[in-house]
Amino acid sequence: MRVLLCHQDRAVRVMVRDLLAAVPDVRVLGDVDAAENAVGRIASAAPDVVLVDGGAAGQRILRETEPGTKGLVLMEHPDSVVDAVRAGARGFLLSSCDGRELQWAIKAVARSEAYLAPPIAHRLLKQMVPDGRWAGRAELPESLTRREREVLGLVAGGLSNVEVAGSLVVSIATVKFHVSNLLGKLGLRDRVQLAVYAHRFRQS
């Protein structure tokens, strides 16, 4: 997996490079410190995952690149997470994460799945996601099938599509089908919002 790092803090860039240096299936294409430098690099290098900071610069990168850009946000604290969701990020990590969590997050985002560090997921639970359509719901819609509820519960546990498929003994295509149905029935935009939604009901 090819990773491009854009973070204004040089110490964070060095830390991430060191953490990923020993990972055999991850290659860091480079690192930049400004949004204006990152957009062109993303267009030419087509990285699998772009690691960005949680501030305005990182959000600008996500907004100005192709919609399919898979952004993983590294943030000092979770306060700006809603803005990052609006900008199109797929994963959210605190910059204090260790190497193992960073690898998990990169792999999940590269598979077009969501990754939310627990403190960030907790913060999202207290805030409204972009469209607000499910905010305040007290129970799951009756239209969900038993299997869709099972998939939602496993997503709440942080399982990837591959892991959900293994747990339910079904194909990955079947899991993707159920995830797509869940998004439609719940009025959610993507798997990031689905993961937040799932966390909310796991906590209740």
Side-chain angles (χ1 to χ4, degrees), residues 58-145:
Q59 292 160 30
R60 176 186 165 192
I61 292 168
L62 295 174
R63 287 194 301 268
E64 294 185 2
T65 52
E66 292 296 320
T69 299
K70 297 172 181 177
L72 172 59
V73 178
L74 286 168
M75 51 184 58
E76 293 295 326
H77 51 77
D79 291 344
S80 60
V81 65
V82 170
D83 290 333
V85 170
R86 289 193 177 102
R90 300 283 186 87
F92 306 87
L93 276 176
L94 294 177
S95 55
S96 58
C97 68
D98 59 23
R100 180 173 296 181
E101 186 178 19
L102 180 61
Q103 291 177 49
W104 286 341
I106 289 174
K107 291 177 180 179
V109 170
R111 294 191 300 261
S112 297
E113 297 172 359
Y115 186 90
L116 295 94
I120 296 173
H122 181 72
R123 180 71 176 183
L124 274 172
L125 292 174
K126 295 183 177 181
Q127 299 185 43
M128 185 180 295
V129 294
D131 58 15
R133 293 176 62 185
W134 54 265
R137 284 184 182 169
E139 57 186 27
L140 291 172
E142 294 182 359
S143 61
L144 297 190
T145 67

Side-chain angles (χ1 to χ4, degrees), residues 150-163:
E150 290 174 344
V151 170
L152 187 63
L154 293 172
V155 169
L159 274 66
S160 68
N161 284 352
V162 173
E163 292 167 332

Side-chain angles (χ1 to χ4, degrees), residues 6 18 66 80 116 126 147 153 165 169 184 194 204:
C6 180
D18 289 345
E66 292 296 320
S80 60
L116 295 94
K126 295 183 177 181
R147 183 63 88 185
V169 194
L194 182 63
S204 61

